Amino acid sequence: MMQVAEIVVDVPTMQTNRPWTYLIPKSLINILVPGMRVVVPFGNSNRQIQGFVVTVHESTETAQLKPVISVIELNPVLTPELIQLGNELANRNFVFMVSMYQAMLPNVMRAKYSKQLRLNQPDALKQPEVQAMFADRDLVDFNAGDVDMALLPALKAYQQQGVLDVVYQVDNRAKVKLVRMITPLLSTNEYDQLRHALRATAKKQARLLTYLMKLGSNPQSTTQFEKQAGVTANDIKVAAQKGWVEIEEVEAYRIPKLVEPIKQTTPLTLNSEQQDAYDQIVAAVNGQTNHVFLLEGVTGSGKTEIYLQVIAQVLSQNRTALMLVPEITLTPQMVHRVKGRFGSMVAVMHSGLSDGERYDEWRRVKRHEAQVVIGARSAVFAPLDNIGIIIVDEEHESSYKQEENPRYHARDVAILRAKYHNAVVVLGSATPSLESRARAQRNRYTLLRLTHRALANPLPTSEVVDMRDVIKQGGDDIFSDQLLKKIGDRIDRNEQSVLMLNRRGYANFLMCRQCGFVPMCPNCDLAMTVHQDTKRLECHICGANQPIPNECPMCGSDRIRPYGTGTQKVEEQLQIRFPNARIIRMDVDTTRKKGATDRLLTQFGQKKADILVGTQMIAKGLDFPDVTLVGILNADTTLNLPDFRASERTFQLITQVSGRAGRADKKGEVVIQTYNPQHYAIALAKQQDYERFFSKEMQIRHTWRYAPYYYSVQIKISHQFENQVAKAAYQLVEWLRNKIADDTIIFGPAPTTVRRMKNRYYYQILIKFKHDTGLEKALTELMADAQNLSKDGIQLAIDREPVSLI
DNA sequence: AGCACGCCGACT
DNA sequence: GTCGGCGTGCTC
């Protein structure tokens, strides 16, 4: 009998996507436990790679097992829960286990590998070129790039003779920050005596002793000590040598800085609707019953306050809380709100943190020093134990789905984790996803509705302006008279306006007015987008860019200029009409720099501007009391996208932006400009009637057999040549047809909306199904085949429940 | 992925 | 005859 470990190795391929059995050497018995990162030999050259221990057990296996080389850290990084969750998600989403584990951990835990050549017998080295390589050292980094390929045979021969060794290295980038702390060892009296005994010339030592007397027995970091005592590192070293103080290295956290200090907040009184929702959630929390609530509440109905009070309740039971918000709403204001209630119990996890900060926040959670985690998508994997509540705010947001491998949906993961912990999930939204709302309809989730705003101020009144009439009457295609008049009123009354330009699927491109030429990306079938800040044309798919030409490359005319409406143009036109208005523009160009978004919003909040013009990014989370007008300049560009969720997205967007108007005692107004005023998504968004939108949209989904009535899987397939993809895609569909259930529907293959991206042609296949084990099996098989296909240059991606079909 | 093995074409 | 090109297959 011997101790063995099942280990998932860091080789993301289908053939290696399973645990491998390793021998646990004597020295690691009782040390090695599941969830640990280890270094193991792998392959016939025994290169060293990172692995994750998934189980430890006894075995009588006679096969020759290789031993684990070492453990990377003494504490496991994955809990049994996360190991199991990783496997489940890997299976479900057609990704590799190891990719899933890595996605659960801070970036720094992704191993970096290096390879070196070690010289054992310098005397045996005869070839001059190889001698030169080793010149005066016996360890050389071996990167294919900087070692002369011609030397390869010689190096190999030396290796076989034992003159050289190939050394593989797994670099652990998870580094703990250390701070040198200085601890006084003597009493104030003793320091005083020492100081009197000093020679008159020992000025620095005297200063050091005086400061030590002041410090008492408190330890202090050496950097702070040096600064405050006015001494150097060497003075401290001398003091330590004399036994006056002790210096030791202590772990420190890199804590993300906040711009403003946290103000402590206290719970607000809940209104009866809030109280009712709170009571139901807390009853489930107290009963430790795994249950999902859908909290449907209009903007301003006080969902966040309910979240905070439920979290407080969970914490009082010594359990922990996880709160997910979309990256875009994870603003300093939001962090302040949560930290203001729970202080240092909170860990924040979002993309703005440095690798070191993120690692440290992760460790604080892991060590139970933080009991509340607030974060964006990937925070759903926070290493919390004993979770009592998981909140998914703005649950309809598509950014909860990770659209690259490893694909996962944070909302689904939240529900899985809650099941494990017997915890409660609260999905919150003013405009729930059809999927979630439908589950509430069938009582899988409990629907909780908040129909009033918490501060009893009325919802804004909305007006839909038919832009077709405006154009017919010779009006402007950006601003209707109705909107302009209302903006003017606001300026007169010293109130603020927010104008949103819906730019999704609608970019600003260049067109020659003479010949109609539009500059296209050389690598993608897509018009290039104009960026005025950099004065360049840029492709939004591959990033290719070039200067804006002064004349048309086709016909030489100088009448080549931007087409369509950009935020810049809106700003210009607005300034012409209201010369004295102060305007802030927020779009990708003005918010590119780090912190720019916060700065602009703060300015607007301090009423340093009358009008805020922006794209989708202004739709969420803004809360300014003096905004009494919201204008949506082109409500319907999202409506025309070839995606079954186009109506849902449009409805959500309009509803959200409308919610920005009139939050305090002032009543708000919303102007929705559109070419489709009769469209139900627009008409119902005007009325803020989510429930009617839901039933109407459900009928349409039913008719067309889309989610939530059907599950879906999208297969995207690409190749450098169009005829090759097409052929492979048709073959794939033929192959699939024999394996699927009768009521499963295959759409396509069809070229994607943008046929060519990054010089590759794309086809997509959409599969709609109810319940189909044959399909599931076929897709897993397909994942294995993908590797063979890639030899022919074909790339393939399987996406369960795609959030975008474009 | 990354490495070794092995089977064919261009050379001393 | 051999060297080395890359296709094929395996990794506890």
Side-chain angles (χ1 to χ4, degrees), chain A residues 193-205:
Chain A
Q193 282 167 23
L194 283 166
R195 197 186 50 172
H196 287 296
L198 285 177
R199 282 174 304 171
T201 49
K203 291 226 176 72
K204 282 282 192 60
Q205 298 283 306

Side-chain angles (χ1 to χ4, degrees), chain A residues 664-676:
Chain A
D665 48 340
K666 294 171 184 137
K667 189 163 166 65
E669 275 189 285
V670 179
V671 175
I672 302 166
Q673 298 188 156
T674 175
Y675 293 90
N676 298 284

Side-chain angles (χ1 to χ4, degrees), chain A residues 86-144:
Chain A
N87 298 351
E88 215 171 317
L89 292 173
N91 241 324
R92 182 182 154 74
N93 295 331
F94 312 104
V95 299
F96 307 121
M97 286 186 270
V98 71
S99 313
M100 217 52 248
Y101 297 154
Q102 276 169 341
M104 295 175 158
L105 296 169
N107 250 331
V108 287
M109 290 198 183
R110 198 164 299 236
K112 281 269 180 292
Y113 299 106
S114 60
K115 201 170 119 183
Q116 292 168 320
L117 293 178
R118 187 176 55 203
L119 183 56
N120 292 331
Q121 304 164 29
D123 304 337
L125 220 54
K126 297 285 185 278
Q127 196 169 328
E129 291 90 341
V130 182
Q131 279 176 348
M133 222 176 94
F134 282 97
D136 50 357
R137 49 197 180 153
D138 51 13
L139 212 55
V140 172
D141 279 338
F142 186 92
N143 303 312

Side-chain angles (χ1 to χ4, degrees), chain A residues 415-523:
Chain A
I415 291 169
L416 283 172
R417 289 200 75 179
K419 210 170 268 172
Y420 182 94
H421 290 276
N422 262 327
V424 172
V425 177
V426 177
L427 306 176
S429 176
T431 52
S433 63
L434 277 260
E435 287 87 339
S436 295
R437 183 60 186 77
R439 285 187 187 144
Q441 194 81 351
R442 286 182 283 128
N443 290 322
R444 299 251 320 269
Y445 301 165
T446 299
L447 181 63
L448 303 170
R449 292 185 64 197
L450 303 177
T451 52
H452 324 284
R453 287 187 159 190
L455 298 169
N457 46 332
L459 283 169
T461 48
S462 301
E463 178 184 352
V464 172
V465 176
D466 189 342
M467 291 304 279
R468 292 171 305 186
D469 294 344
V470 174
I471 303 278
K472 242 181 266 166
Q473 287 154 22
D476 192 297
D477 67 340
I478 304 179
F479 305 110
S480 59
D481 288 343
Q482 293 96 313
L483 180 59
L484 285 174
K485 183 177 174 305
K486 291 193 160 95
I487 297 173
D489 289 348
R490 294 308 179 290
I491 295 174
D492 294 342
R493 297 207 302 256
N494 193 27
E495 292 174 357
Q496 292 178 298
S497 308
V498 168
L499 300 182
M500 188 191 72
L501 183 71
N502 187 359
R503 280 191 63 175
R504 209 187 163 111
Y506 179 82
N508 212 10
F509 56 90
L510 214 59
M511 188 172 84
C512 174
R513 300 299 198 268
Q514 191 79 37
C515 70
F517 173 77
V518 173
M520 303 288 286
C521 172
N523 313 316

Side-chain angles (χ1 to χ4, degrees), chain A residues 313-374:
Chain A
Q313 176 66 18
V314 165
L315 293 176
S316 75
Q317 298 171 0
N318 278 326
R319 293 199 281 162
T320 63
L322 175 57
M323 178 167 170
L324 301 179
V325 298
E327 184 79 51
I328 194 160
T329 54
L330 191 52
T331 54
Q333 287 96 319
M334 184 58 132
V335 173
H336 272 255
R337 207 154 164 201
V338 178
K339 283 204 169 180
R341 201 64 66 82
F342 305 112
S344 60
M345 297 175 93
V346 181
V348 183
M349 295 179 156
H350 62 87
S351 66
L353 304 184
S354 70
D355 279 354
E357 287 169 340
R358 203 180 306 201
Y359 174 50
D360 286 359
E361 289 291 90
W362 181 89
R363 279 193 305 145
R364 286 182 56 225
V365 177
K366 186 84 189 153
R367 295 170 164 188
H368 306 116
E369 291 167 17
Q371 293 81 17
V372 180
V373 170
I374 174 169

Side-chain angles (χ1 to χ4, degrees), chain A residues 147-413:
Chain A
V147 171
D148 188 353
M149 281 301 137
L151 294 179
L152 234 46
L155 291 171
K156 195 155 264 181
Y158 281 132
Q159 189 198 346
Q160 266 158 19
Q161 294 160 28
V163 178
L164 293 177
D165 263 345
V166 180
V167 193
Y168 295 92
Q169 213 127 28
V170 180
D171 298 328
N172 180 17
R173 296 181 298 131
K175 296 274 161 48
V176 171
K177 186 183 171 188
L178 294 173
V179 169
R180 284 157 60 81
M181 294 296 284
I182 183 163
T183 311
L185 291 176
L186 308 178
S187 69
T188 313
N189 252 340
E190 288 168 311
Y191 286 135
D192 198 28
Q193 282 167 23
L194 283 166
R195 197 186 50 172
H196 287 296
L198 285 177
R199 282 174 304 171
T201 49
K203 291 226 176 72
K204 282 282 192 60
Q205 298 283 306
R207 219 183 298 162
L208 189 141
L209 284 165
T210 313
Y211 183 72
L212 274 172
M213 287 165 66
K214 234 184 356 192
L215 197 58
S217 58
N218 301 323
Q220 193 175 37
S221 76
T222 50
T223 35
Q224 251 197 333
F225 190 98
E226 284 165 28
K227 210 189 290 166
Q228 295 189 0
V231 298
T232 63
N234 196 51
D235 300 328
I236 295 176
K237 206 168 126 196
V238 172
Q241 277 164 5
K242 291 186 178 167
W244 299 352
V245 296
E246 190 178 40
I247 295 170
E248 52 185 344
E249 298 221 303
V250 176
E251 267 186 37
Y253 290 126
R254 287 150 285 206
I255 293 176
K257 284 193 194 69
L258 285 167
V259 189
E260 290 167 56
I262 306 270
K263 282 192 220 92
Q264 177 97 32
T265 65
T266 46
L268 308 170
T269 311
L270 302 177
N271 65 28
S272 65
E273 270 186 345
Q274 285 175 308
Q275 188 66 45
D276 183 49
Y278 171 85
D279 289 343
Q280 291 197 47
I281 297 167
V282 163
V285 166
N286 292 346
Q288 309 220 355
T289 31
N290 169 234
H291 194 74
V292 181
F293 290 93
L294 176 61
L295 183 59
E296 179 191 322
V298 295
T299 340
S301 57
K303 293 191 288 288
T304 310
E305 187 56 34
I306 299 179
Y307 302 154
L308 295 178
Q309 296 195 18
V310 171
I311 292 173
Q313 176 66 18
V314 165
L315 293 176
S316 75
Q317 298 171 0
N318 278 326
R319 293 199 281 162
T320 63
L322 175 57
M323 178 167 170
L324 301 179
V325 298
E327 184 79 51
I328 194 160
T329 54
L330 191 52
T331 54
Q333 287 96 319
M334 184 58 132
V335 173
H336 272 255
R337 207 154 164 201
V338 178
K339 283 204 169 180
R341 201 64 66 82
F342 305 112
S344 60
M345 297 175 93
V346 181
V348 183
M349 295 179 156
H350 62 87
S351 66
L353 304 184
S354 70
D355 279 354
E357 287 169 340
R358 203 180 306 201
Y359 174 50
D360 286 359
E361 289 291 90
W362 181 89
R363 279 193 305 145
R364 286 182 56 225
V365 177
K366 186 84 189 153
R367 295 170 164 188
H368 306 116
E369 291 167 17
Q371 293 81 17
V372 180
V373 170
I374 174 169
R377 184 176 56 220
S378 65
V380 76
F381 297 117
L384 288 164
D385 279 335
N386 202 10
I387 299 177
I389 182 95
I390 305 181
I391 291 155
V392 184
D393 192 29
E394 309 279 355
E395 68 88 29
H396 63 278
E397 270 294 312
S398 59
S399 65
Y400 282 125
K401 171 84 186 282
Q402 172 138 67
E403 281 284 52
E404 299 137 34
N405 273 331
R407 291 169 207 272
Y408 63 91
H409 200 302
R411 192 215 291 138
D412 300 345
V413 178

